[in-house]
């Protein structure tokens, strides 16, 4: 291994990898399975919840795209937070984001194992979880290109499934399906378009926002692409169309095809919709797709966590040994260190699923919203400092939309505090943030200031 901070990473990702990483981050198991609970809570108008949440994510990605196109960096938004708000912000954002993804890695390994047990019931949950985690660890350790290829094909399967559903679903609801007449009556049931009131649209945002997390990974991976600026511009612009079509379009069709109160909370509405269309093997097919979505999230989560830890080590905010890379430019030590929490989460899910494992999940529940909030604040501060010629991507209607986005995220965080089922997440996530800030204060007292962000990232 050779000691190499950021320069030790290889530019092994191509534009097609970056495009699929961006879309793969947006489409996850939260859409394929979690949308049933949103439809059941909001009613036929559930697609409005996805529309509002999608706009919020689009705004964040536009702001991040502006900063990343001007200053591509493996540290991405942690570097931008550092530049805008100081060392404490960069340290806090990076460690919170790392923590969020290592918990996700453990959770997805357990979720994937649960899906595998449908076909392999005799394999213990812990053994299947361990096997999936080892597989994705090996993929990331081999090369950044192998990570990109896996993510490309995983995302491709998810995209293909959504596209097929959009085509077949449109044909079905328009009455072009054999033995089917055009029927939109499920949008106007006896209980109404919004049976639980307009407020349900916004209460559902708390859940939906987490199903859309991951598009920002493309701005981190862009530093390992051959043309980082071009890759970031294309990836961030493509997110807009994909959220609008894939999320809002598919949930709208689900609301038209299925009665809003006919779905069980953990039942995939896509399976039910395909079965209603008379498509055979819908259950097994969608279980395979959901497993692919889970593996995609596990794969990209491990990649993202390792790169963030790599950057922290380069800033002397994590052990310096984690900056060492293999001859292939892979930060192997950062990858292995990032798997530790994943393995501990798998053990916790087996030994104490309702206490320790649940605590870990709740303690990271609102962390991604903290990160998104810091991205927006960083863009608000950095935009006036950025030379016009470096603004290849610009946030729309700055600063008005930036301020509205910040207000929207604060509103979601406040709403989490008022909802009984999310209150523990916001409180424990605030505790996690407090621990990280305290760690920064302790580190600064002992070691002093962190090295400055390189001039090329200014």
């Amino acid at each position: 291994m050779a000691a190499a901070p950021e320069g030790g990473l290889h530019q092994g990702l191509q534009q097609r990898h970056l495009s699929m990483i961006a879309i793969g981050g947006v489409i996850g198991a939260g859409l394929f399975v979690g949308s049933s609970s949103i439809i059941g809570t909001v009613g036929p108008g559930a697609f409005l919840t996805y529309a509002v949440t999608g706009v919020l994510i689009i705004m964040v990605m536009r702001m991040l795209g502006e900063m990343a196109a001007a200053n591509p960096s493996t540290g991405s938004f942690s570097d931008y937070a550092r530049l805008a708000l100081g060392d404490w912000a960069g340290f806090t954002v990076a460690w919170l984001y790392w923590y969020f993804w290592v918990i996700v890695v453990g959770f997805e390994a357990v979720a994937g194992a649960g899906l595998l047990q449908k076909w392999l019931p005799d394999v213990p949950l812990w053994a299947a979880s361990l096997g999936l985690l080892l597989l994705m660890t090996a993929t990331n350790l081999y090369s950044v290109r192998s990570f990109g290829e896996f993510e490309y094909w995983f995302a491709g399967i998810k995209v293909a499934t959504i596209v097929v559903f959009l085509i077949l679903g449109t044909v079905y609801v328009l009455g072009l399906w054999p033995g089917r007449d055009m029927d939109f009556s499920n949008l106007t049931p006896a209980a109404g378009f919004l049976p639980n009131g307009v407020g349900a649209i916004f209460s559902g945002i708390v859940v939906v926002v987490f199903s859309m997390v991951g598009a920002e990974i493309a701005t981190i991976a862009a530093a390992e692409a051959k043309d980082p600026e071009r890759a970031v511009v294309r990836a961030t612009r493509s997110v807009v169309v994909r959220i609008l079509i894939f999320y809002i379009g598919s949930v709208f069709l689900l609301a038209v095809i299925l009665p809003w109160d006919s779905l069980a909370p953990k039942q995939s509405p896509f399976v039910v919709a395909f079965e209603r269309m008379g498509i055979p093997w819908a259950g097994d097919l969608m279980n395979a797709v959901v497993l692919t979505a889970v593996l995609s999230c596990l794969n990209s989560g491990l990649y993202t966590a390792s790169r963030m830890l790599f950057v922290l080590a380069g800033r002397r905010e994590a052990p310096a040994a984690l900056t060492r890379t293999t001859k292939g430019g892979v930060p192997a030590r950062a990858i292995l260190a990032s798997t530790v929490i994943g393995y501990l989460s798998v053990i916790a899910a087996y030994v104490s699923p309702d206490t320790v494992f649940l605590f870990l999940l709740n303690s990271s529940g609102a962390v991604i919203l903290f990160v998104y909030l810091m991205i927006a604040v960083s863009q608000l501060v950095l935009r006036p400092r950025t030379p016009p010629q470096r603004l290849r991507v610009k946030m729309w209607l700055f600063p008005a939309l930036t301020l509205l986005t910040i207000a929207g995220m604060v509103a979601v965080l406040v709403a989490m505090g008022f909802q009984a089922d999310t209150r523990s997440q916001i409180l424990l996530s605030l505790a996690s943030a407090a621990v990280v800030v305290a760690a920064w204060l302790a580190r600064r007292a002992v070691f002093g200031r962190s090295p400055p962000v390189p001039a090329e990232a200014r």
Side-chain angles (χ1 to χ4, degrees):
M1 291 185 179
E6 200 164 299
L9 299 178
H10 286 193
Q11 294 180 326
L13 295 176
Q14 299 176 9
Q15 179 59 50
R16 65 184 180 90
H17 295 139
L18 265 293
S19 295
M20 280 300 187
I21 288 170
I23 193 171
V26 173
I27 301 174
L31 172 61
F32 292 118
V33 180
S35 51
S36 60
S37 64
I38 299 299
I39 294 172
T41 300
V42 181
F47 64 92
L48 295 177
T49 297
Y50 282 89
V52 173
T53 310
V55 168
L56 189 68
I57 299 297
I58 287 168
M59 295 299 107
V60 172
M61 282 301 298
R62 186 71 181 187
M63 288 184 275
L64 184 54
E66 176 184 294
M67 295 184 290
N71 300 296
S73 165
T74 303
S76 188
F77 39 84
S78 70
D79 282 346
Y80 309 142
R82 188 184 302 272
L83 284 170
L85 304 171
D87 285 348
W88 73 270
F91 179 95
T92 302
V93 167
W95 274 112
L96 284 178
Y97 195 66
W98 176 84
Y99 181 62
F100 172 81
W101 279 111
V102 293
I103 295 298
V104 168
V105 163
F107 172 77
E108 296 294 346
V110 173
L115 290 168
L116 276 179
Q117 286 189 320
K118 295 179 184 296
W119 298 295
L120 303 171
D122 296 331
V123 177
L125 186 70
W126 67 266
S129 302
L130 181 62
L132 293 178
L133 194 51
L134 288 172
L135 174 63
M136 291 300 99
T137 301
T139 300
N140 275 266
L141 285 173
Y142 186 71
S143 71
V144 68
R145 184 179 178 85
S146 67
F147 155 75
E149 285 296 328
F150 264 77
E151 199 58 27
Y152 178 81
W153 291 107
F154 284 163
I157 292 171
K158 293 187 288 186
V159 171
T161 302
I162 294 294
V163 170
V164 168
F165 174 75
L166 289 172
I167 294 172
L168 296 182
T170 300
V171 171
Y172 185 80
V173 301
L174 291 178
L176 303 176
W177 198 266
R180 169 77 181 180
D181 295 325
M182 185 165 60
D183 183 8
F184 287 82
S185 61
N186 282 331
L187 290 178
T188 55
F193 182 65
L194 295 170
N196 295 315
V198 176
I201 295 176
F202 301 97
S203 64
I205 291 176
V206 173
V207 177
V208 174
V209 71
F210 295 107
S211 71
M212 294 187 180
V213 166
E216 73 283 348
I217 294 173
T219 64
I220 297 173
E224 294 179 78
K226 294 180 180 178
D227 188 354
E229 292 186 21
R230 178 171 172 268
V232 165
V233 171
R234 293 187 62 179
T236 54
R237 285 176 176 169
S238 66
V239 167
V240 177
V241 176
R242 286 160 179 171
I243 285 180
L244 292 175
I245 294 176
F246 293 147
Y247 266 93
I248 303 171
S250 60
V251 174
F252 174 78
L253 287 174
L254 288 171
V256 175
I257 296 170
L258 305 172
W260 71 276
D261 55 355
S262 65
L263 297 168
K266 294 185 179 181
Q267 185 178 29
S268 172
F270 289 86
V271 171
V272 180
F274 278 132
E275 289 176 344
R276 179 156 298 193
M277 294 179 202
I279 297 175
W281 309 106
D284 285 337
L285 176 64
M286 285 307 303
N287 281 332
V289 172
V290 173
L291 178 60
T292 299
V294 166
L295 291 177
S296 171
C297 189
L298 203 166
N299 187 42
S300 58
L302 184 55
Y303 169 85
T304 307
S306 66
R307 268 41 176 195
M308 201 56 73
L309 189 58
F310 178 78
V311 169
L312 282 164
R315 301 246 178 269
R316 298 205 311 265
E317 294 172 343
L322 298 175
T323 61
R324 294 184 177 273
T325 59
T326 64
K327 291 181 179 179
V330 175
R333 295 185 181 184
I335 292 172
L336 293 173
S338 296
T339 63
V340 171
I341 302 297
Y343 290 119
L344 291 176
S345 295
V346 169
I347 294 172
Y350 176 71
V351 176
S352 182
D354 298 323
T355 51
V356 177
F357 188 58
L358 186 61
F359 171 82
L360 290 173
L361 291 178
N362 285 337
S363 66
S364 65
V367 160
I368 195 65
L369 282 173
F370 297 162
V371 172
Y372 282 178
L373 185 59
M374 293 292 276
I375 289 172
V377 173
S378 299
Q379 189 267 340
L380 184 67
V381 173
L382 291 179
R383 173 66 173 270
R385 301 183 192 173
T386 307
Q389 64 271 20
R390 298 181 70 174
L391 292 172
R392 295 185 59 189
V393 176
K394 290 185 179 181
M395 177 59 182
W396 305 293
L397 299 177
F398 178 85
L401 279 184
T402 297
L403 292 171
L404 281 173
T405 303
I406 291 172
M409 284 186 284
V410 170
V412 172
L413 289 168
V414 171
M416 290 183 70
F418 282 99
Q419 295 185 37
D421 56 342
T422 56
R423 189 175 298 123
S424 61
Q425 292 183 24
I426 185 68
L427 293 176
L428 288 174
S429 295
L430 284 170
S432 298
V435 169
V436 174
V437 173
W440 175 80
L441 290 171
R443 184 215 164 275
R444 178 162 182 169
V446 175
F447 299 106
R449 291 178 58 86
S450 302
V453 177
E456 59 269 19
R458 293 184 183 277

